[in-house]
Each structure stands twice: as C-alpha cells, then as structure tokens.
C-alpha cells in the first residue's frame, strides 16, 4: 500500500503516538507519511527560547524512534512557510489526504486555515481533529450561545456538559509507511554551540518524549496527587505535577489525564477520602485553566497583546529597562522574587506559586508592561505556552474580568513566609543569603547590622537593597490608577460628545516596544492569495479574523506603512540606573501606550480583527466569506449585543475584584471595531 494515495500526518504540538486522532485517521486510511515542519520565523516575536528548543529537539527524536518501531519514520523539514512545505511533501509523496490536529493560538489558526484552502484547491482531502482539549471552544457557550467571559462559568459548563470528553485512543499497533524516497528529511538545528553546555544540565532533571510523559502522569496520579492540595503551595520541592512541558508539546493527552484523574476522583469519593477529593478538584481546575487559556485565545485572538478590559489601555506603564534587567537577573532586593528569577534562568522552570509572586511584583511593584514579562517567560520557560502565559499575565495584571484587583500589591516578604516558611528555597538560589537566620531571610533590610555581618552580607554590595519600597509602590500605583481613570473618563466624554472618536483606542496607540535584548527580528514576505476551500464537519472553526494582511498593491504603500511604524515606535530608555526613580513616559507615545508588538507582523503570522470583539466567536473554514483588501475573511456573528453587559453582570470568579466592582465602567471590554487590518 506504499506510494501513491497515502496520507500525510502533520505533527505540531501533538508529539505522541497515543491518543493522536490525526495519526489514527491516517493509519485507518492506509499508508502514512509523518512530517514535522520547523518554521519558527512564522511565530514573529515569539521565536521559541533556548530551553523550549532543547525540549523540542529531544521530543522529536523520541517520536521518531517510536514511529520507527511501528514501521515508519518522522520526516523533518526546515521552512519559512509551513503551507508551501506541506504542499511540497504532498506532491513528492503522491499523498491524497492531509490529517492534522487543531491548535488555538492566532498564528496557528490563520496558518491552518490557509493550509486547508491551499491544499483543498490542489485536490487534497484535508481533515483536522481535536487532540489538545476536552471540548472545542465553539462547543462551550452560555445559554445565549455566546462565549463565557469568566473562568468559573466556563469551567462549570465544561464539567456539566451533557457528554463526556472522548475517551483517549490507544496507539496504533503498526503503521504502513508511505513512499518517502523523494521526500528526504532536513537536518533541524535547535541549539548552537554556546547553548549546548547549559542544555546538558537540563537532561539531569527532565526527560522529554511521549512515553516519558506517560510515566510522569502515572507517577503523579499514583503518588503526589493525593497530597496535591496540601503540598502545592510549597515552593521548596517538587509539589506540582511537572506535566506542563509535556502538555505543551502534546506528549501527553489532556483527555487521558482527565480520565485517569476522574477515576481517582470516583475511587476516593467512594472511600470518603476528603483530602483526595480536594486534591482532585484542584488538579482538575488546573486542567480547566489550561482549557480556558485556549478558549480565551480562540475567542479573543489578541489576548496575548492587549488587555481585555478596555480602560486598562490607558494605564501609564513605567518604561524602565534598568528595572527590567534587575528583575531578570534576580537583583531586586526581595529574596523570594530574586530566588525565583535565578531559578528560572538556571533551570527553565518555576513553581506556579513563584510565577505568581514574580509576575505580580513585575506589574504591581515595578509597574512594567505585562507583555515584557510574558515575553521573558516565553523566552526562558521549558513549558513556555503563549495561551497559558497570556492568561496568567492578564490575570495577575487585572486586565481580564475575573483577574486580580488592579490595586492589590502582594508583599514579597509575607509571600515568602507563606510559600517558603523555612527559607530553604531562598537559600538554595541565593547562596549569598544562605547564612541569614530564617527570621530575616525574607526581609534582610530589617536585620540588625550584627546579624548581617555574621551572615557575611553587605546590603548594596553583595546583595542589593530593595529596588522599590512597597509603600512607595502602593502610592505610585494609586497615582497611576488615578491617571488611568482620568484618561479613560476623558476618552468616554469625547466619544459621548461626538468631538472625538476616543483618545486611546489600541488600534491608534503607539505600541510599547519590547526591550532590545529580548527583541526578535521579523521577516517580511509578500502576502499570498488564499484559495477557496470546501467545508467538512471535522474542520476547525476560526474566529472572525482575516487570513492575510492588507494586500499592498504598490511598493510605496508598503514603505509608507513600515515607515509609519518606525517613526511612532515607543523607545526604551537605556541610560537609567537601577537605583533611580523611573520616570513615566508622559508624551503621547507613553501615557496612552498599549502593549503590542512593535513591528508589523509577518503576513502568515498575524491577523487583523474585522469586527468588534463581541462578534468574534467562530466560523467554519469554508462557509460564507467576503473579500476585503485581498484577504479571505470568515464571518460568523450570531449576536449583535455587546459583551460589556455580560462582563458587568458576571461574578468575578477567579478572585472577586472589589476594585472592579467600585468601577463598573471597567467591565467594558475593549472595542476592536476600528482595529486596522495590520493589527
């Protein structure tokens, strides 16, 4: 059965042979060619970081070994255009079908939609499947058919769905290989020589690969899960599941994890094991938060760039690269924060409680733009995940309806004694504080001089003084919030009076640039025309987004747009000292800046919303479309009512926000209606 008529299975973040619907469909159809395409340039500024690339390298080797044991192998391709490479693989192998599993980030949504259109136009049957979620985003809605806007409402609906998630599939017994004689693999390079030494240390702590992920899941469920509720707050040990890197790369099926945990839930409920039941509920909630991150990303594709609560586009973030550097290097003067950041740099990992501590410090104490922190997490975490990181940073920043109160500042000193009561975590990652008594370990600036001398600590020399005082940060935050509300009120008044269309719509604000040391270059290539596709019931729905940027008919137009971006790009000062009080950028570029990419997106890696976000739900890849500026625009707008009503009425469910309740106008979700097509 090898040769013509085979099926191509396109692997992405589903690097497993167990419970892989696309692979199972290919095996059922006959001979199979398995392919992985490495095209990181398509990700724009989110080029995978060092530790993430290390994991991917080993996960792909593990997958290839598994496929070889089943009768085939993994073809790897290096590309800057995944869809073109897919078409080349299909032609060279004589394939007649393409199977792949869904992804939900905006870049993948656009890429996958284009893949279906291009290959279908070539006569290739294309089918896609759910392998990453319990339920597809378009299947989980409120009674009015609209997407949920708070986590508790969303997760409650998931747990009360009339049908259970599909049971996980067994791996195939064998795979008949298609003809790959004219489709050689490219050698993929995931690390350079300077990275190999650091990467070698990762192998001591982690074992990438789907069968290792399966072992990790089994070990967790049969061991630490029972005491998960009791131990998960402890930062000084492996008290979480450690499954997130495996889940990100699709090495373990979320459906399998869900089903195995539910079995434990029933067992412990029958035994009356209350501690076990509580642990199961908390772990299932963590699965739910991962689901919700994809749900938010699908329904609000710009959630990794812009706040979902409209008034927060007016927040005057502090543009201070020196503060940012001190945070990254673990030199803020707050031991728990510094220990966390040094662990992150050394290992690519952070306990979830420490992630909350360091990110909260970043946006509330330092008041740096949350997208800077999210981007640094993306560059350094083993489990870097755009959807989950965007949800986490928006939650901490208070920029989603059920996020933390924006005026809440967590004191790292108190958080330290809560999550690291004996100081062991701090001592492990801050050896300069190792001899400091526990009484002072989380606030050395209060320790008597004799204690500091005995511990060999000279504050301001071998360990820094606090970069910002907590009381000063609280005062500064209140001033910033007042400034934000003044600008928000002025904008609303201008709109209501009809004198202006608004002062700070994110479509018109100057984006805050990523600092240069984490800036990623983006390549530009001509916009491709999309070819028509046919609709299949298995097709992944896509939000109301364009599948390409504005078609630039003339060279002058392209240069004009690019020059405009260059001229209005926000600058990051580089001459500020760490111990200086940062200035807020009070120019028009600063006060009303919204955190977005600072360059034009790559055509195949960016989208432009065409409707207000209340209309951005889902659309099949082949139903009604309209042409606009050269791009195919899927349209599906079942509701004309605004989300703002629902945002105002829903309870804040991740954490009740008294601050937002005092400011009901803050529930008005950002109006995307006038966003430019280039995003």
């Amino acid at each position: 059965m090898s040769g013509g008529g085979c099926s191509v299975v396109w692997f992405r973040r589903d690097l497993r042979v167990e419970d892989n619907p696309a692979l199972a469909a290919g095996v059922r159809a006959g001979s199979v060619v398995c392919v992985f395409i490495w095209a990181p340039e398509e990700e724009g500024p989110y080029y995978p970081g060092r530790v993430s690339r290390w994991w991917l390298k080993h996960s792909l080797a593990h997958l290839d070994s598994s496929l070889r044991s089943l009768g085939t192998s993994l073809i790897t391709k290096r590309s800057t255009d995944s869809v073109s490479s897919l078409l080349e693989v299909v032609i060279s192998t004589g394939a007649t079908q393409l199977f792949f599993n869904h992804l939900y980030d905006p870049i993948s949504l656009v890429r996958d939609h284009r893949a279906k259109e291009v290959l279908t136009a070539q006569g290739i049957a294309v089918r896609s499947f759910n392998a990453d979620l319990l339920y597809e985003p378009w299947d989980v809605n409120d009674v009015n058919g609209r997407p949920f806007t708070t986590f508790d409402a969303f997760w409650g609906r998931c747990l009360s769905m009339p049908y259970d998630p599909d049971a996980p599939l067994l791996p195939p017994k064998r795979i008949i290989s298609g003809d790959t004689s004219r489709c050689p693999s490219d050698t993929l390079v995931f690390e350079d020589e300077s990275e190999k030494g650091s990467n070698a240390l990762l192998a001591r702590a982690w074992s990438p690969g789907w069968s290792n992920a399966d072992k990790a899941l089994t070990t967790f469920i049969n061991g630490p899960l029972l005491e998960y509720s009791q131990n998960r707050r402890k930062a000084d040990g492996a008290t979480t599941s450690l499954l997130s890197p495996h889940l990100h790369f699709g090495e373990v099926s979320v459906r399998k994890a869900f089903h195995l945990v539910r079995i434990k839930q029933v067992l412990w409920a029958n035994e009356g094991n209350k501690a076990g039941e509580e642990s199961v509920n908390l772990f299932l909630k963590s699965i739910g938060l991962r689901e919700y991150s994809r749900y938010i990303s699908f329904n609000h594709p710009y959630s990794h760039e812009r706040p979902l609560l409209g008034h927060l586009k007016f927040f005057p973030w502090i543009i201070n690269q020196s503060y940012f550097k001190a945070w990254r290097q673990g030199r803020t003067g707050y031991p728990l924060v510094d220990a966390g950041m040094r662990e992150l740099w050394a290992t690519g990992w952070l306990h979830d409680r420490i992630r909350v501590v360091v990110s909260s410090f970043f946006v509330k104490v330092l008041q740096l733009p949350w997208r800077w922190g999210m981007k640094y997490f993306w560059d350094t975490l083993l489990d870097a995940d755009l959807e989950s990181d965007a949800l986490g940073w928006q939650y901490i920043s208070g920029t989603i309806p059920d996020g933390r109160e924006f005026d809440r500042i967590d004191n790292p000193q108190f958080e330290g004694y809560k999550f690291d009561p004996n100081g062991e975590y701090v001592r492990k990652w801050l050896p300069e504080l190792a001899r400091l008594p526990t009484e002072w370990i989380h606030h050395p600036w209060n320790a008597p001089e004799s204690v500091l001398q005995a511990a060999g600590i000279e504050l301001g020399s071998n360990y820094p003084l606090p970069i910002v005082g907590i009381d000063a940060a609280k005062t500064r935050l209140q001033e910033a919030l007042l400034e934000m509300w003044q600008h928000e009120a002025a904008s609303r008044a201008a709109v209501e009076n009809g004198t202006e269309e608004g002062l700070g719509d994110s479509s018109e604000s100057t984006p805050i640039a990523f600092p240069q040391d984490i800036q990623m270059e983006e390549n530009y290539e001509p916009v491709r025309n999309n070819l028509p596709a046919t609709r299949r019931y298995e097709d992944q729905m896509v939000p109301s987004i364009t599948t390409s940027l504005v078609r630039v008919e003339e060279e002058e137009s392209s240069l004009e747009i690019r020059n405009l971006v260059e001229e209005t790009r926000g600058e990051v000062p580089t001459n500020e000292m760490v111990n200086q009080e940062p200035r807020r950028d009070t120019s028009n570029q600063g006060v009303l800046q919204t955190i977005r990419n600072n360059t034009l997106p790559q055509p195949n890696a960016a989208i432009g919303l065409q409707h207000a976000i209340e209309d951005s739900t889902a659309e099949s890849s082949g139903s009604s479309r309209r042409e606009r500026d050269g791009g195919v625009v899927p349209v599906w707008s079942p509701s004309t009512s605004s989300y703002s009503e629902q945002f105002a009425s829903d309870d804040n469910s991740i954490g009740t926000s008294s601050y937002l309740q005092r400011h009901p106008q803050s529930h008005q979700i950002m109006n995307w209606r006038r966003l430019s097509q280039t995003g």
Side-chain angles (χ1 to χ4, degrees), residues 374-391:
M374 186 188 76
K375 177 63 167 62
Y376 186 71
F377 270 23
W378 173 265
D379 290 340
T380 53
L381 280 169
L382 272 168
D383 60 349
D385 184 278
L386 189 58
E387 300 97 316
S388 294
D389 291 345
L391 177 64

Side-chain angles (χ1 to χ4, degrees), residues 587-608:
S587 64
N588 289 336
Q589 290 94 330
V591 173
L592 301 182
Q593 279 172 332
T594 302
I595 307 153
R596 285 180 47 200
N597 267 349
N598 69 311
T599 54
L600 276 173
Q602 192 175 347
N604 293 330
I607 53 177

Side-chain angles (χ1 to χ4, degrees), residues 313 503-511 568 589 592-594 596:
K313 65 179 175 284
L503 294 178
D505 228 28
S506 61
S507 58
E508 299 157 1
S509 305
T510 304
T568 59
Q589 290 94 330
L592 301 182
Q593 279 172 332
T594 302
R596 285 180 47 200

Side-chain angles (χ1 to χ4, degrees), residues 164-231:
D164 286 333
D166 292 338
L169 303 169
L170 293 173
K173 295 180 180 177
R174 67 187 182 100
I175 300 174
I176 302 172
S177 181
D179 182 4
T180 60
S181 59
R182 291 176 295 173
C183 186
S185 283
D186 297 333
T187 300
L188 303 184
V189 178
F190 293 106
E191 58 186 356
D192 58 38
E193 290 300 321
S194 66
E195 296 172 331
K196 289 183 178 180
S198 299
N199 288 345
L201 300 175
L202 296 172
R204 299 180 182 181
W206 299 95
S207 299
W210 76 270
S211 62
N212 294 319
D214 194 57
K215 293 174 185 174
L217 174 63
T218 302
T219 298
F220 173 71
I221 288 177
N222 293 330
L225 175 60
L226 180 61
E227 298 179 343
Y228 178 75
S229 173
Q230 178 182 342
N231 293 334

Side-chain angles (χ1 to χ4, degrees), residues 330-334 338 342 432 444 458-466:
R331 301 283 296 170
T332 69
Y334 289 90
D338 293 344
R342 295 194 199 179
E432 61 266 45
E458 185 179 349
L459 293 179
S461 177
N462 61 352
Y463 187 71
L465 288 161

Side-chain angles (χ1 to χ4, degrees), residues 290-302:
R290 180 183 181 275
E291 297 272 313
Y292 190 56
S293 72
R294 275 108 177 106
Y295 186 80
I296 288 289
S297 181
F298 177 83
N299 286 297
H300 310 302
Y302 273 118

Side-chain angles (χ1 to χ4, degrees), residues 41 74 126 270 326 348 385 489 524 553 589 612 674:
E41 291 81 8
L74 182 67
V126 181
N270 290 338
D385 184 278
Y524 300 91
E553 299 291 356
Q589 290 94 330
R674 290 186 290 110

